[in-house]
Amino acid sequence: MASNTLFLLPGDGIGTEIMAEVEKLIAHLNGSGATDFAYDKGLVGGCAYDAHGVAISEEDMGKALAADAVIFGAVGGPKWDDVPYDVRPEAGLLRLRKDLGLFANLRPAICYSALADASSLKKELVEGLDILIVRELTGGVYFGEPKEITDLGNGQKRAVDTQVYESYEIDRIARVAFDLAMTRGKKVHSADKKNVMKSGVLWDEVVKQAGRDYPEIDLHHILADNAAMQLVRNPKQFDVMVTDNLFGDILSDAAAMLTGSLGMLPSASLGAPDPATGKRKALYEPVHGSAPDIAGQGIANPIAMFASFAMALRYSFGMVDLAGKLETAISDVLEDGLRTGDIMQTGCRKVTTSEMGDAIIAKLG
Ligand code: IPM
Ligand code: MG
C-alpha cells in the first residue's frame, strides 16, 4: 500500500488542464522512486454542481478528509453565474476550508528573476522579492453569522455580514506567522483596521500578546489600507504579513501581481496538527482562478499549480529537498526562456500548458 495519499480536485476551467500536468508529475516522481503517492480524483465547483447539484458531494468531502493532502485546481465560471448562492462553485472551496479546519493560508509572493520585467512595478522594486502572506482562512466575515439579506417591506432591503474573531483564532494564526518568520527574515507585519473595527482591536491585542513568546521577531502593526499602499510603494520592506480572512484575500492578490503574474503563485492551507499524529490536514491550490476566458485551449500556465505541489511536498510530506528541486526546475525553465502566453516576453519561446509541464518535469531528471 502506498504510504502517502493525495486527493485531486481539478475543479473547473483551466483547473482540469493544470491538474493533468500534476498527474504527469506524480507519475514521474513515483516512476523514479522519489515518491510513493496514491491518488484519487473528485469533483468540486461548477462540475460538481452539474453532476450532483452541490458544489462538492458528501462522498468527495469524505475523501478530502481522509487524504494526507488535497491538491485543488480552481472553481467557477460564467456558466454557473446564476446557480443558487449556497451551491455556487466557491461554496465547495469554502466548505473544504471550513470542514478540514484549514485556518492557516500561506501565500508566498516570490519574484522569479527571469520575470522581474513582467511586473507592473519597476524592476528594482520587485527583483528578489520574497514576501509570505499568512491569511486567516476559517473565520472573519467569510463565515460570521448573521449573514443575510432581509426584506424590510418598504421597498428596501438590509444586508448583513458579520466580522467576528475569537482570541484563540487570532492567537493560532499569529503563531503560525511567527514560526514561519523564524525560518526567514524574522520580521512580521500584522495588518488590521483597529482604527475602525473592534475585531481589529482584539486582533492587535492578541497578536502582540502572542509575540511576547517570540522575542527575536521584529513585530510591526500596520493598518490594512496602509499595507495595500506600502505593498505597491516598497514591497521589499515586508517579510511575513499576517492578517484576517478578508484583508488577506485582498492583500494577497495585490502581492501576487507584484511578481508579474497571478499564474505563478502557489498557496497552502493548513489545519492544526493532529494531537496524536502531529499531521495537519492540508489543501494546496494556485492563487489564480479558473480563467474561463482561456479554458480548453491548452495554453494555461501550470507553474502556480506545480509550485503548490512543491508546497505539498514540503509541508505535508517533509520532502524538503524534492520541493526545492521542483522549485529550481521551475526557475530553470523560466531562465531557459520558456513562457506560457500570460508571461510571454519578447525573445522568449511561447509554449503550451503541456509543453511547460514536460519541460519542468524533464529538469527533474
Ligand atoms: C481566494 C479566492 C476565494 C476567496 C474565492 C474563490 C471564494 O478569492 O482563494 O483568494 O475569496 O477566498
Ligand atoms: Mg482571492
Side-chain angles (χ1 to χ4, degrees):
M1 200 182 113
S3 48
N4 293 315
T5 60
L6 302 172
F7 188 47
L8 310 190
L9 287 170
D12 307 315
I14 62 167
T16 54
E17 296 162 51
I18 58 179
M19 196 64 80
E21 300 309 305
V22 168
E23 290 189 67
K24 287 201 290 202
L25 175 62
I26 296 171
H28 174 85
L29 294 176
N30 280 349
S32 71
T35 59
D36 187 13
F37 286 123
Y39 68 88
D40 197 354
K41 275 202 289 186
L43 298 177
V44 67
C47 59
Y49 176 79
D50 289 344
H52 307 297
V54 286
I56 184 164
S57 68
E58 294 309 316
E59 189 186 346
D60 282 348
M61 269 309 301
K63 289 180 180 173
L65 279 159
D68 292 320
V70 177
I71 311 293
F72 187 98
V75 290
K79 182 178 174 197
W80 303 283
D81 275 351
D82 297 319
V83 306
Y85 185 81
D86 288 348
V87 291
R88 71 200 188 287
E90 292 78 9
L93 177 58
L94 295 177
R95 171 140 188 233
L96 282 159
R97 289 175 180 172
K98 194 69 179 174
D99 288 11
L100 271 63
L102 308 175
F103 70 90
N105 185 213
L106 280 39
R107 297 193 164 185
I110 293 163
C111 187
Y112 292 91
S113 52
L115 292 182
D117 283 325
S119 172
S120 45
L121 294 197
K122 292 193 203 85
K123 184 172 178 163
E124 59 269 25
L125 286 181
V126 296
E127 206 162 30
L129 182 78
D130 181 359
I131 304 178
L132 178 64
I133 298 208
V134 178
R135 169 188 177 193
E136 199 292 325
L137 203 61
T138 51
V141 78
Y142 275 64
F143 297 99
E145 295 287 346
K147 187 179 197 67
E148 63 194 11
I149 300 178
T150 319
D151 197 328
L152 298 178
N154 57 356
Q156 294 292 304
K157 291 181 185 174
R158 181 168 184 268
V160 183
D161 291 285
T162 304
Q163 164 78 348
V164 51
Y165 273 107
E166 295 186 18
S167 339
Y168 81 92
E169 297 175 281
I170 304 168
D171 180 74
R172 64 184 180 179
I173 192 71
R175 287 173 193 276
V176 168
F178 292 142
D179 285 337
L180 288 165
M182 286 302 291
T183 69
R184 313 167 33 106
K186 299 190 178 163
K187 183 156 73 165
V188 174
H189 282 77
S190 170
D192 61 50
K193 280 289 288 177
K194 69 173 179 177
N195 55 345
V196 287
M197 295 165 83
K198 286 289 182 187
S199 56
V201 172
L202 183 65
W203 184 277
D204 189 47
E205 186 185 308
V206 176
V207 169
K208 283 187 176 136
Q209 178 72 40
R212 296 201 183 107
D213 292 342
Y214 296 81
E216 282 180 61
I217 296 282
D218 181 15
L219 173 62
H220 300 260
H221 173 267
I222 188 165
L223 291 171
D225 53 345
N226 186 28
M229 191 264 276
Q230 295 297 337
L231 271 175
V232 292
R233 193 185 75 89
N234 174 22
K236 281 193 254 177
Q237 68 185 289
F238 297 113
D239 175 27
V240 173
M241 187 185 291
V242 61
T243 189
D244 79 8
N245 204 343
L246 184 60
F247 296 141
D249 179 44
I250 297 165
L251 294 173
S252 63
D253 261 30
M257 200 57 218
L258 299 176
T259 68
S261 167
L262 219 47
M264 305 297 300
L265 293 180
S267 78
S269 303
L270 308 175
D274 182 289
T277 64
K279 286 197 115 184
R280 295 171 183 270
K281 294 250 181 293
L283 179 148
Y284 299 88
E285 64 173 311
V287 171
H288 63 72
S290 60
D293 54 323
I294 60 158
Q297 298 174 36
I299 59 169
N301 185 348
I303 289 181
M305 188 75 257
F306 272 25
S308 301
F309 196 82
M311 291 188 91
L313 294 173
R314 177 175 292 117
Y315 291 111
S316 283
F317 303 106
M319 299 175 184
V320 178
D321 292 345
L322 190 58
K325 217 171 141 189
L326 178 54
E327 285 158 352
T328 304
I330 293 170
S331 59
D332 285 354
V333 163
L334 292 170
E335 295 293 341
D336 289 350
L338 266 61
R339 299 284 187 277
T340 42
D342 57 314
I343 50 173
M344 186 56 194
Q345 290 166 296
T346 33
C348 290
R349 185 156 76 84
K350 196 165 176 174
V351 296
T352 64
T353 309
S354 152
E355 284 166 339
M356 182 61 97
D358 290 342
I360 295 169
I361 291 168
K363 290 278 183 196
L364 294 171

